[in-house]
């Protein structure tokens, strides 16, 4: 079966996602983890050091200004699962308003960001990158704030890493994930409607929430 944007969205709806072994591998395989990483939106953890940086930073947050640049930033590492076909597919989803990026800018330079796919009230986080200290953590904090504002119920991180665990992500079983996925996909949400907030505004909101 040829992998198209429609097939890709059908896959997300069933709980699987694509990967390649490395950048130059033309083959794509499907992944359905036994244990799934998720970020409970109201339990995002902001450390004291991250809070201080967010309050003092001059970084600007933008949404969907350079989606392709975020994907390229995520692929710009020695070990990446983003090959040319995957890159093209996510750019196609972005053109259909089914994939979005939250970006961290330092004046006119893209220094960090995260991108993912939306389906109903589910956000499937794909990858993130950072070219400045903590830029990816700031991006995630601002993303969580935006997902809450937009009515999202599920933030799928695919796998649980030490980095994500330090921010509040957890692992759940495949059965728990499927239940949460079906519930989220049946609900409406919007990634584009919530207002843009500065890192200072975001950290204050998250701190009040915790």
């Amino acid at each position: 079966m040829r992998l198209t944007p429609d097939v890709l969205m059908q896959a997300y709806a069933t709980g699987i996602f694509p990967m390649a072994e490395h950048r130059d591998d033309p083959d794509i395989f499907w992944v359905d983890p036994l244990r799934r990483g998720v970020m409970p939106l109201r339990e995002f953890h902001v450390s004291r050091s991250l809070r201080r940086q967010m309050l003092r930073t001059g970084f600007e947050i933008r949404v969907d200004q350079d989606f392709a640049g975020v994907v390229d930033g995520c692929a710009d590492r020695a070990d990446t699962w983003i090959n040319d076909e995957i890159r093209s597919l996510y750019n196609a989803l972005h053109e259909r308003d089914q994939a979005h990026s939250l970006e961290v800018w330092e004046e006119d330079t893209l220094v960090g960001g995260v991108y993912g796919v939306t389906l109903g009230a589910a956000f499937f986080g794909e990858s993130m990158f950072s070219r400045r200290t903590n830029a990816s953590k700031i991006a995630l904090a601002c993303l969580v704030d935006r997902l809450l504002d937009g009515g999202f119920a599920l933030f799928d991180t695919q796998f649980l890493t030490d980095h994500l665990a330090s921010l509040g992500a957890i692992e759940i079983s495949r059965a728990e994930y499927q239940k949460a996925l079906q519930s989220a996909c049946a609900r409406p949400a919007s990634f584009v409607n919530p207002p843009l907030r500065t890192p200072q505004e975001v950290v204050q909101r998250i701190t009040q929430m915790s």
Side-chain angles (χ1 to χ4, degrees):
M1 178 185 295
R2 177 172 172 262
L3 187 52
T4 66
D6 285 334
V7 171
L8 188 52
M9 292 305 296
Q10 291 168 13
Y12 278 107
T14 63
I16 62 176
F17 55 89
M19 296 184 74
E21 287 290 350
H22 53 78
R23 179 186 293 105
D24 299 321
D25 189 342
D27 295 325
I28 293 174
F29 59 91
W30 295 107
V31 183
D32 182 14
L34 287 173
R35 304 286 296 175
R36 195 72 166 233
V38 297
M39 177 71 74
L41 292 173
R42 295 191 176 276
E43 297 177 23
F44 187 83
H45 174 68
V46 179
S47 66
R48 290 182 179 179
S49 61
L50 180 58
R51 174 181 167 80
R52 285 195 298 269
Q53 184 175 2
M54 290 182 71
L55 289 172
R56 298 172 183 173
T57 188
F59 291 156
E60 180 184 352
I61 304 302
R62 303 178 190 174
V63 169
D64 288 342
Q65 292 299 297
D66 190 2
F67 180 86
V70 173
V71 177
D72 290 344
C74 293
D76 185 20
R77 59 191 66 169
D79 184 18
T80 181
W81 53 270
I82 302 173
N83 65 9
D84 287 344
E85 184 175 6
I86 286 176
R87 180 183 183 279
S88 296
L89 283 165
Y90 286 112
N91 281 319
L93 289 183
H94 174 64
E95 292 295 323
R96 294 164 35 147
D97 292 325
Q98 293 175 309
H100 300 278
S101 59
L102 187 140
E103 306 147 11
V104 180
W105 291 78
E106 187 176 56
E107 297 182 347
D108 293 328
T109 302
L110 179 65
V111 298
V114 56
Y115 79 95
V117 173
T118 57
L119 183 60
F123 182 88
F124 307 91
E126 285 302 314
S127 191
M128 58 188 175
F129 80 102
S130 181
R131 294 181 180 136
R132 299 289 187 274
T133 301
N134 283 340
S136 62
K137 289 184 179 181
I138 292 173
L140 278 175
C142 293
L143 174 62
V144 165
D145 179 69
R146 190 168 194 83
L147 295 179
L148 282 167
D149 247 14
F152 285 84
L154 174 64
F155 181 2
D156 173 9
T157 68
Q158 298 179 345
F159 302 107
L160 182 66
T161 64
D162 290 341
H163 179 209
L164 290 172
S166 72
L167 298 171
I170 61 172
E171 268 189 340
I172 60 176
S173 69
R174 181 186 286 163
E176 290 174 295
Y177 175 77
Q178 285 290 338
K179 184 177 179 180
L181 175 64
Q182 291 172 19
S183 174
C185 287
R187 295 171 52 179
S190 174
F191 190 88
V192 298
N193 286 339
L196 276 174
R197 293 195 176 91
T198 65
Q200 291 81 9
E201 292 170 328
V202 168
V203 75
Q204 289 170 356
R205 282 168 53 86
I206 289 179
T207 301
Q208 292 169 1
M209 183 178 60
S210 60

